[in-house]
Amino acid sequence: MSRHRCPAAAACRNLAPVIALRTTPGPAARPFRTGMTVAFALLVAAGCGREQAEAPAVEPAADAARQVDGSVTISGDDRLAGSLTWRAPRVALAEGDEALVAALDRAGEALEAGDLEASADSAIPLYLAVLERDPGSKPAAEGLERSLSALLAQGAAALGRAGDDDDALHRARMVAAVARSLRPAEQRVRDYLADVDRAEHLAEINQAAERELRAGRLGESGDGALARVREALALDEDQPRALQLRAAVESAMIRRAEDAASAGDFDGAAEWLDHAEAVRGGAGAVADARTRLDTRRRAWILRLRDEGIAALPRAGGIEDARALLARMLVLAEPGNAAVAELRERIDLAVHYGNFRPGQRFTDRAGGGRGPQMVVVPHGGFSMGAADADRDAEDSERPRRNLRFDRGFALSLTEITVGEFRRFVDATGYRTRAERRGFSMAYDERSGNFVRRSRVDWRMDFAGARAADDLPVLHVSARDAQAYVDWLAEVSGERYRLPSEAEFEYALRAGGTGRYPWGDGPPPEGVGNLTGDKDRSPGGRGWSNAFEDYDDGHWGPAPVGSFTPNAFGLHDLEGNVSEWVADCWHDSYRRAPASGAAWVNPGCRMQVVRGGAWASSPAQTRSSWRAPSPVDNTNARVGFRVARDI
């Protein structure tokens, strides 16, 4: 028979319904694209080159054999040519019935093995070759039918994998080409072709989504990869590759959130997580990412805190730390401990440098250690005597309000004999009492203070050798200044005598009473004061003293023997009175508003503050002050030091 004979007229008449299929899909199908429609029609019409009236009638089996013969040219989308065309491999059959039987046997074995169309030894080419030779072969026709069923089953299996497997989709296309060549008008083939077309359309959408994803167009604004993914899932909500791409878009948004967090942009990170949450409606991955970002946010807060603390000692560090604190406030929840810590450290740096209020410390000084210092907190107070104070003098007024915006340090106690000795040994300094050969000391026989020869800083209140832990006496204001100048030089720190305002502020320690402890009688153990129960070695008592008070000492006590005040300082209210840096002025009018020392160059009179072991109750008041010549030395006055921080 001629290999170019036209199929039966009935088969050619099937062309119109086949084309109509592409524009009027069944319930399970969707429209095919133009290229596939043209190819499908051409496959049906292949070989119909003669008039239908000239074609003799043929059997259905022979019709199937004719439809796969010849060359098919695809117009339209050439990209699909390879997948829309199938030509049966040429099978060479020998003459005679034995060759047909052998071919049927081989075809049956290939069908059993699932080898359906790939080569000349596959089932479908063999069955077609037998039908070409013997159109009435029932075994070949039945075998071809079984092969088509098996082929469609393979195609369906491939379509089941085609969602995320390009090779499976390629196999499904090949099955489609073969099935269209064999039975283009059968409903099962038409349904299968519709499924393939749908799979290809989904693949194209997914490929577009992949391109958008690779280009970084995720679709947070309504387009890009996410829009393509949603288009695919609208066609098939379980489509594997679309589901994978949706997860990939979500992951990419989470990565952008993490990148933003790594750069400290947690607002941007939160926005990206909101976008990611909208992808799958609050999937667990976003919740986990929020947990991770919250951990990273807390780590950033801690890092900013550490950077702020590290910045504080540097020049301009307080402003740098404040800027870091502002960034922390944006990131942190209310009440965050790290924010509170940095804010406190900034406050401390503003007011105390590297110290804390109440902190005790010593500095290296000349191969040893300087006196123990206490950090006095910053704050304000009312300096001077109240109007109702009956013992106050005009020099203690007018009362004024002062504030120290920065803390300072005072020595824990008065400077001791041992501490002053280190200074003298290091410098060879000779005090005023040494140079002039006398000082004022207590005389037990007369009960008064008398001028006594060869009394200097080494002696106690009565002129005897002093222990190292007693406050140094018999030193002038200039001797005290010489000590602090040396201490500042050997320590490299800003040591000085305290100002009068600093002394009273530290003496009151937050109190507002007549005395450092309040308005009533002194509590037991508050300090070395004049009590009416005190007795001298010879049995003397005080004529003007606090009632019912006995501190156990006649003369200065070893420093630190009594209870410290609220600022942690000892002996401000008693033991010995102390030199301060201010020159004497008859009142506080025009005194510095800052609380700094009021100094006039070359002044001859300097201020003494604080009660002593021999001071009357009036001289123990918080506002009491007295003038003394800068070269004066006696058994009642010592000093302590201040230091800037």
Side-chain angles (χ1 to χ4, degrees):
M1 287 183 266
S2 171
R3 299 184 63 231
H4 297 286
R5 292 178 59 191
C6 180
C12 288
R13 284 196 298 271
N14 286 335
L15 178 60
V18 169
I19 296 174
L21 169 67
R22 300 302 177 250
T23 57
T24 310
R30 61 182 304 281
F32 283 83
R33 288 168 300 285
T34 302
M36 187 177 291
T37 301
V38 173
F40 195 4
L42 288 173
L43 285 168
V44 175
C48 297
R50 293 193 174 93
E51 295 288 338
Q52 292 185 24
E54 296 176 3
V58 296
E59 294 295 326
D63 185 33
R66 299 297 188 274
Q67 289 179 34
V68 298
D69 195 28
S71 175
V72 177
T73 301
I74 299 174
S75 61
D77 191 351
D78 293 338
R79 293 181 297 108
L80 301 177
S83 64
L84 297 179
T85 303
W86 181 77
R87 293 181 182 180
R90 183 179 297 277
V91 177
L93 293 180
E95 296 296 330
D97 293 340
E98 291 182 0
L100 294 180
V101 171
L104 288 171
D105 290 341
R106 286 162 52 203
E109 292 173 358
L111 174 60
E112 193 70 24
D115 178 9
L116 301 177
E117 86 293 343
S119 70
D121 292 323
S122 299
I124 291 174
L126 287 168
Y127 284 129
L128 289 174
V130 171
L131 288 171
E132 178 83 14
R133 179 77 61 83
D134 182 7
S137 174
K138 185 175 180 180
E142 292 174 350
L144 184 62
E145 185 65 23
R146 290 196 306 273
S147 297
L148 177 60
S149 297
L151 182 69
L152 291 175
Q154 286 187 3
L159 282 177
R161 303 189 306 274
D164 57 358
D165 186 343
D166 290 338
D167 290 339
L169 181 58
H170 178 74
R171 174 58 183 163
R173 288 170 178 157
M174 177 58 68
V175 169
V178 176
R180 280 184 296 203
S181 298
L182 295 176
R183 297 285 194 274
E186 284 192 14
Q187 186 61 48
R188 60 174 176 166
V189 173
R190 292 162 65 182
D191 291 343
Y192 175 76
L193 296 179
D195 290 341
V196 172
D197 185 60
R198 182 166 172 268
E200 288 184 328
H201 184 47
L202 285 171
E204 290 174 358
I205 296 172
N206 287 333
Q207 289 167 3
E210 288 170 348
R211 288 193 296 272
E212 297 281 12
L213 186 59
R214 285 194 297 271
R217 295 186 289 271
L218 305 184
E220 68 278 2
S221 301
D223 200 3
L226 185 58
R228 304 289 81 74
V229 167
R230 286 173 173 164
E231 182 182 351
L233 292 176
L235 297 175
D236 183 356
E237 64 181 10
D238 297 320
Q239 212 280 325
R241 181 164 293 184
L243 292 174
Q244 292 171 0
L245 285 168
R246 186 175 66 174
V249 170
E250 179 189 72
S251 296
M253 290 178 174
I254 290 173
R255 282 196 301 274
R256 290 193 180 180
E258 291 174 339
D259 291 343
S262 296
D265 179 12
F266 287 90
D267 287 341
E271 290 181 9
W272 278 112
L273 287 184
D274 289 343
H275 291 315
E277 193 167 42
V279 172
R280 290 196 292 171
V286 179
D288 292 343
R290 288 192 189 280
T291 299
R292 291 195 303 275
L293 260 64
D294 188 59
T295 299
R296 188 171 293 182
R297 179 181 57 81
R298 291 196 299 270
W300 258 86
I301 292 170
L302 294 177
R303 192 179 95 182
L304 291 171
R305 177 205 60 187
D306 293 344
E307 290 179 1
I309 291 173
L312 288 173
R314 302 194 294 264
I318 291 176
E319 292 307 313
D320 291 342
R322 283 174 172 160
L324 292 166
L325 177 62
R327 293 175 61 188
M328 290 176 67
L329 289 170
V330 173
L331 301 178
E333 68 282 0
N336 182 273
V339 169
E341 181 183 2
L342 182 56
R343 183 184 284 118
E344 179 186 6
R345 294 293 289 269
I346 291 172
D347 188 62
L348 289 173
V350 168
H351 300 301
Y352 307 104
N354 295 325
F355 297 94
R356 292 180 176 272
Q359 180 180 344
R360 294 185 180 187
F361 67 94
T362 60
D363 291 314
R364 292 186 178 276
R369 308 298 301 189
Q372 191 169 24
M373 306 296 292
V374 177
V375 177
V376 177
H378 77 288
F381 79 114
S382 294
M383 181 178 181
D387 293 340
D389 190 343
R390 61 186 180 278
D391 292 322
E393 300 181 3
D394 290 343
S395 63
E396 300 173 28
R397 298 188 177 98
R399 200 172 201 194
R400 59 202 185 112
N401 293 323
L402 292 178
R403 180 168 187 83
F404 295 101
D405 290 327
R406 187 173 178 86
F408 56 93
L410 287 178
S411 55
L412 178 67
T413 66
E414 302 104 341
I415 297 302
T416 65
V417 172
E419 289 168 336
F420 198 82
R421 176 177 286 109
R422 286 190 58 232
F423 156 61
V424 172
D425 290 346
T427 64
Y429 180 83
R430 297 185 73 231
T431 63
R432 175 65 174 168
E434 285 181 279
R435 287 185 281 110
R436 70 185 178 186
F438 68 88
S439 185
M440 300 297 291
Y442 172 74
D443 178 49
E444 176 65 24
R445 285 183 301 176
S446 65
N448 211 335
F449 290 92
V450 299
R451 179 170 140 172
R452 182 163 293 170
S453 299
R454 293 185 295 278
V455 172
D456 57 36
W457 63 270
R458 300 174 182 86
M459 310 304 179
D460 67 6
F461 74 106
R465 179 67 64 173
D468 277 358
D469 61 354
L470 287 172
V472 67
L473 301 171
H474 311 293
V475 288
S476 68
R478 288 172 175 168
D479 296 334
Q481 186 63 49
Y483 175 86
V484 296
D485 289 344
W486 167 79
L487 187 59
E489 180 181 357
V490 296
S491 68
E493 303 295 344
R494 296 184 297 274
Y495 281 94
R496 53 184 173 76
L497 290 176
S499 72
E500 187 177 1
E502 288 172 333
F503 187 96
E504 186 172 333
Y505 173 68
L507 174 67
R508 290 183 180 276
T512 59
R514 174 177 166 86
Y515 300 105
W517 55 85
D519 292 324
E524 181 179 354
V526 71
N528 185 8
L529 313 173
T530 54
D532 64 4
K533 293 183 178 181
D534 289 345
R535 291 296 178 265
S536 73
R540 292 181 180 277
W542 301 109
S543 60
N544 183 12
F546 291 104
E547 293 182 3
D548 296 325
Y549 188 78
D550 180 7
D551 54 45
H553 293 275
W554 189 273
V559 298
S561 297
F562 297 91
T563 304
N565 72 1
F567 287 171
L569 297 162
H570 290 274
D571 305 324
L572 284 165
E573 65 288 299
N575 215 28
V576 298
S577 298
E578 301 177 21
W579 290 110
V580 293
D582 299 62
C583 295
W584 175 258
H585 295 85
D586 290 337
S587 74
Y588 293 134
R589 292 182 180 86
R590 297 185 301 279
S594 64
W598 191 359
V599 178
N600 303 109
C603 68
R604 302 292 298 171
M605 299 291 286
Q606 211 153 306
V607 179
V608 171
R609 294 298 301 252
W613 62 276
S615 296
S616 68
Q619 295 171 333
T620 312
R621 292 175 302 110
S622 297
S623 62
W624 178 81
R625 60 196 295 261
S628 181
V630 294
D631 286 331
N632 192 32
T633 64
N634 60 56
R636 292 176 54 181
V637 179
F639 71 99
R640 75 179 66 219
V641 298
R643 177 191 183 285
D644 293 335
I645 56 174

